[in-house]
Tab-separated table of all heavy atoms in Angstrom:
chain	number	residue	atom	x	y	z
A	393	ALA	N	64.427	74.267	192.593
A	393	ALA	CA	62.976	74.102	192.495
A	393	ALA	C	62.296	74.173	193.866
A	393	ALA	O	61.111	74.504	193.951
A	393	ALA	CB	62.638	72.760	191.845
A	394	LYS	N	63.044	73.891	194.919
A	394	LYS	CA	62.460	73.832	196.254
A	394	LYS	C	62.999	74.910	197.189
A	394	LYS	O	62.559	75.015	198.336
A	394	LYS	CB	62.699	72.450	196.860
A	394	LYS	CG	62.019	71.339	196.065
A	394	LYS	CD	62.279	69.973	196.647
A	394	LYS	CE	61.540	68.900	195.850
A	394	LYS	NZ	61.768	67.547	196.375
A	395	ASP	N	63.917	75.700	196.705
A	395	ASP	CA	64.606	76.647	197.577
A	395	ASP	C	63.801	77.915	197.798
A	395	ASP	O	63.113	78.403	196.910
A	395	ASP	CB	65.958	77.011	196.971
A	395	ASP	CG	66.695	78.020	197.823
A	395	ASP	OD1	66.953	77.720	198.995
A	395	ASP	OD2	66.984	79.122	197.314
A	396	ALA	N	63.921	78.470	199.025
A	396	ALA	CA	63.292	79.751	199.344
A	396	ALA	C	64.245	80.703	200.048
A	396	ALA	O	63.856	81.834	200.336
A	396	ALA	CB	62.066	79.523	200.238
A	397	ARG	N	65.510	80.236	200.311
A	397	ARG	CA	66.365	81.101	201.134
A	397	ARG	C	67.871	80.862	200.952
A	397	ARG	O	68.683	81.395	201.706
A	397	ARG	CB	66.020	80.914	202.630
A	397	ARG	CG	65.700	79.522	203.120
A	397	ARG	CD	66.836	78.532	203.147
A	397	ARG	NE	67.981	79.003	203.882
A	397	ARG	CZ	69.178	78.491	203.770
A	397	ARG	NH1	69.407	77.496	202.922
A	397	ARG	NH2	70.186	78.958	204.474
A	398	MET	N	68.289	80.107	199.961
A	398	MET	CA	69.706	79.839	199.775
A	398	MET	C	70.528	81.127	199.684
A	398	MET	O	70.159	82.033	198.947
A	398	MET	CB	69.918	79.024	198.492
A	398	MET	CG	71.353	78.586	198.272
A	398	MET	SD	71.740	77.976	196.588
A	398	MET	CE	70.228	77.283	196.024
A	399	PRO	N	71.657	81.216	200.385
A	399	PRO	CA	72.526	82.391	200.237
A	399	PRO	C	73.112	82.452	198.832
A	399	PRO	O	73.412	81.418	198.220
A	399	PRO	CB	73.621	82.156	201.280
A	399	PRO	CG	73.083	81.132	202.213
A	399	PRO	CD	72.146	80.288	201.420
A	400	LYS	N	73.308	83.645	198.340
A	400	LYS	CA	73.870	83.835	197.004
A	400	LYS	C	75.264	83.218	196.902
A	400	LYS	O	75.652	82.685	195.854
A	400	LYS	CB	73.920	85.334	196.687
A	400	LYS	CG	74.304	85.658	195.263
A	400	LYS	CD	74.223	87.158	195.004
A	400	LYS	CE	74.595	87.492	193.561
A	400	LYS	NZ	74.528	88.947	193.294
A	401	THR	N	76.026	83.271	197.980
A	401	THR	CA	77.391	82.721	197.955
A	401	THR	C	77.379	81.213	197.722
A	401	THR	O	78.210	80.683	196.977
A	401	THR	CB	78.119	83.027	199.270
A	401	THR	OG1	77.295	82.621	200.378
A	401	THR	CG2	78.423	84.514	199.384
A	402	LEU	N	76.438	80.512	198.346
A	402	LEU	CA	76.332	79.069	198.149
A	402	LEU	C	75.875	78.763	196.727
A	402	LEU	O	76.367	77.833	196.085
A	402	LEU	CB	75.360	78.467	199.169
A	402	LEU	CG	75.078	76.963	199.029
A	402	LEU	CD1	76.361	76.145	199.060
A	402	LEU	CD2	74.119	76.491	200.119
A	403	PHE	N	74.933	79.546	196.219
A	403	PHE	CA	74.457	79.355	194.850
A	403	PHE	C	75.606	79.500	193.856
A	403	PHE	O	75.801	78.655	192.969
A	403	PHE	CB	73.358	80.375	194.545
A	403	PHE	CG	72.959	80.437	193.091
A	403	PHE	CD1	72.331	79.364	192.486
A	403	PHE	CD2	73.218	81.579	192.350
A	403	PHE	CE1	71.967	79.422	191.145
A	403	PHE	CE2	72.853	81.654	191.015
A	403	PHE	CZ	72.227	80.572	190.410
A	404	GLU	N	76.381	80.554	193.986
A	404	GLU	CA	77.472	80.801	193.036
A	404	GLU	C	78.562	79.736	193.143
A	404	GLU	O	79.170	79.348	192.135
A	404	GLU	CB	78.054	82.190	193.283
A	404	GLU	CG	77.082	83.308	192.910
A	404	GLU	CD	77.592	84.686	193.283
A	404	GLU	OE1	78.531	84.759	194.105
A	404	GLU	OE2	77.055	85.685	192.760
A	405	ALA	N	78.781	79.226	194.349
A	405	ALA	CA	79.809	78.202	194.530
A	405	ALA	C	79.371	76.848	193.981
A	405	ALA	O	80.205	76.068	193.503
A	405	ALA	CB	80.163	78.075	196.017
A	406	SER	N	78.080	76.572	194.035
A	406	SER	CA	77.610	75.223	193.703
A	406	SER	C	77.047	75.083	192.298
A	406	SER	O	76.806	73.974	191.831
A	406	SER	CB	76.564	74.774	194.732
A	406	SER	OG	75.505	75.708	194.821
A	407	TYR	N	76.808	76.203	191.612
A	407	TYR	CA	76.364	76.169	190.219
A	407	TYR	C	77.413	76.885	189.364
A	407	TYR	O	77.251	78.053	189.008
A	407	TYR	CB	74.981	76.817	190.079
A	407	TYR	CG	73.867	75.949	190.620
A	407	TYR	CD1	73.482	76.004	191.956
A	407	TYR	CD2	73.208	75.041	189.781
A	407	TYR	CE1	72.473	75.194	192.453
A	407	TYR	CE2	72.189	74.228	190.267
A	407	TYR	CZ	71.828	74.307	191.599
A	407	TYR	OH	70.824	73.491	192.083
A	408	PRO	N	78.494	76.202	189.020
A	408	PRO	CA	79.646	76.859	188.389
A	408	PRO	C	79.391	77.372	186.969
A	408	PRO	O	80.192	78.155	186.451
A	408	PRO	CB	80.712	75.756	188.379
A	408	PRO	CG	79.946	74.482	188.421
A	408	PRO	CD	78.750	74.774	189.262
A	409	ARG	N	78.251	76.970	186.349
A	409	ARG	CA	78.000	77.395	184.961
A	409	ARG	C	77.071	78.615	184.897
A	409	ARG	O	76.513	78.927	183.858
A	409	ARG	CB	77.420	76.225	184.159
A	409	ARG	CG	78.323	75.000	184.155
A	409	ARG	CD	77.798	73.882	183.292
A	409	ARG	NE	77.987	74.170	181.868
A	409	ARG	CZ	77.591	73.337	180.896
A	409	ARG	NH1	76.992	72.189	181.198
A	409	ARG	NH2	77.791	73.660	179.626
A	410	ILE	N	76.940	79.319	185.999
A	410	ILE	CA	75.986	80.416	186.066
A	410	ILE	C	76.340	81.540	185.075
A	410	ILE	O	75.440	82.109	184.429
A	410	ILE	CB	75.862	80.966	187.513
A	410	ILE	CG1	74.814	82.070	187.583
A	410	ILE	CG2	77.188	81.425	188.060
A	410	ILE	CD1	73.428	81.646	187.165
A	411	GLN	N	77.592	81.858	184.916
A	411	GLN	CA	77.954	82.933	183.986
A	411	GLN	C	77.676	82.530	182.542
A	411	GLN	O	77.251	83.351	181.724
A	411	GLN	CB	79.423	83.324	184.174
A	411	GLN	CG	79.710	84.001	185.504
A	411	GLN	CD	78.810	85.211	185.756
A	411	GLN	OE1	78.556	86.026	184.858
A	411	GLN	NE2	78.311	85.325	186.979
A	412	GLU	N	77.911	81.275	182.235
A	412	GLU	CA	77.559	80.757	180.914
A	412	GLU	C	76.050	80.853	180.693
A	412	GLU	O	75.589	81.241	179.614
A	412	GLU	CB	78.025	79.306	180.817
A	412	GLU	CG	77.831	78.668	179.472
A	412	GLU	CD	78.305	77.220	179.463
A	412	GLU	OE1	78.935	76.767	180.450
A	412	GLU	OE2	78.021	76.531	178.462
A	413	PHE	N	75.267	80.520	181.737
A	413	PHE	CA	73.807	80.580	181.642
A	413	PHE	C	73.315	81.998	181.396
A	413	PHE	O	72.356	82.216	180.646
A	413	PHE	CB	73.184	80.033	182.936
A	413	PHE	CG	71.712	80.297	183.054
A	413	PHE	CD1	70.794	79.488	182.410
A	413	PHE	CD2	71.238	81.373	183.791
A	413	PHE	CE1	69.432	79.740	182.502
A	413	PHE	CE2	69.890	81.634	183.894
A	413	PHE	CZ	68.982	80.814	183.246
A	414	MET	N	73.948	82.981	182.009
A	414	MET	CA	73.455	84.364	181.953
A	414	MET	C	73.406	84.910	180.528
A	414	MET	O	72.657	85.839	180.250
A	414	MET	CB	74.304	85.258	182.841
A	414	MET	CG	74.100	85.012	184.337
A	414	MET	SD	72.412	85.355	184.890
A	414	MET	CE	72.432	87.155	184.884
A	415	LYS	N	74.139	84.319	179.605
A	415	LYS	CA	74.102	84.759	178.213
A	415	LYS	C	72.735	84.481	177.583
A	415	LYS	O	72.375	85.104	176.578
A	415	LYS	CB	75.189	84.042	177.407
A	415	LYS	CG	76.603	84.395	177.798
A	415	LYS	CD	77.618	83.720	176.894
A	415	LYS	CE	77.612	82.219	177.030
A	415	LYS	NZ	78.685	81.583	176.223
A	416	TYR	N	71.985	83.549	178.170
A	416	TYR	CA	70.707	83.129	177.589
A	416	TYR	C	69.505	83.636	178.384
A	416	TYR	O	68.374	83.426	177.975
A	416	TYR	CB	70.666	81.595	177.498
A	416	TYR	CG	71.815	81.044	176.703
A	416	TYR	CD1	72.959	80.570	177.353
A	416	TYR	CD2	71.790	81.038	175.324
A	416	TYR	CE1	74.037	80.087	176.633
A	416	TYR	CE2	72.868	80.559	174.591
A	416	TYR	CZ	73.984	80.081	175.254
A	416	TYR	OH	75.047	79.623	174.529
A	417	ARG	N	69.753	84.303	179.488
A	417	ARG	CA	68.641	84.831	180.279
A	417	ARG	C	67.882	85.881	179.480
A	417	ARG	O	68.470	86.719	178.803
A	417	ARG	CB	69.166	85.449	181.579
A	417	ARG	CG	68.048	86.029	182.408
A	417	ARG	CD	68.514	86.855	183.590
A	417	ARG	NE	67.413	87.693	184.015
A	417	ARG	CZ	67.267	88.967	183.669
A	417	ARG	NH1	68.177	89.553	182.910
A	417	ARG	NH2	66.216	89.651	184.065
A	418	ASP	N	66.556	85.815	179.574
A	418	ASP	CA	65.699	86.788	178.900
A	418	ASP	C	65.581	88.019	179.795
A	418	ASP	O	65.119	87.909	180.939
A	418	ASP	CB	64.318	86.158	178.665
A	418	ASP	CG	63.424	87.006	177.779
A	418	ASP	OD1	63.395	88.241	177.967
A	418	ASP	OD2	62.735	86.438	176.923
Side-chain angles (χ1 to χ4, degrees):
K394 297 179 178 180
D395 179 59
R397 39 69 54 198
M398 185 194 330
K400 188 176 181 180
T401 51
L402 176 56
F403 170 67
E404 291 174 343
S406 55
Y407 286 88
R409 302 184 75 181
I410 183 60
Q411 292 306 317
E412 185 181 351
F413 169 81
M414 289 298 285
K415 294 184 294 185
Y416 303 97
R417 179 190 161 262
D418 189 317

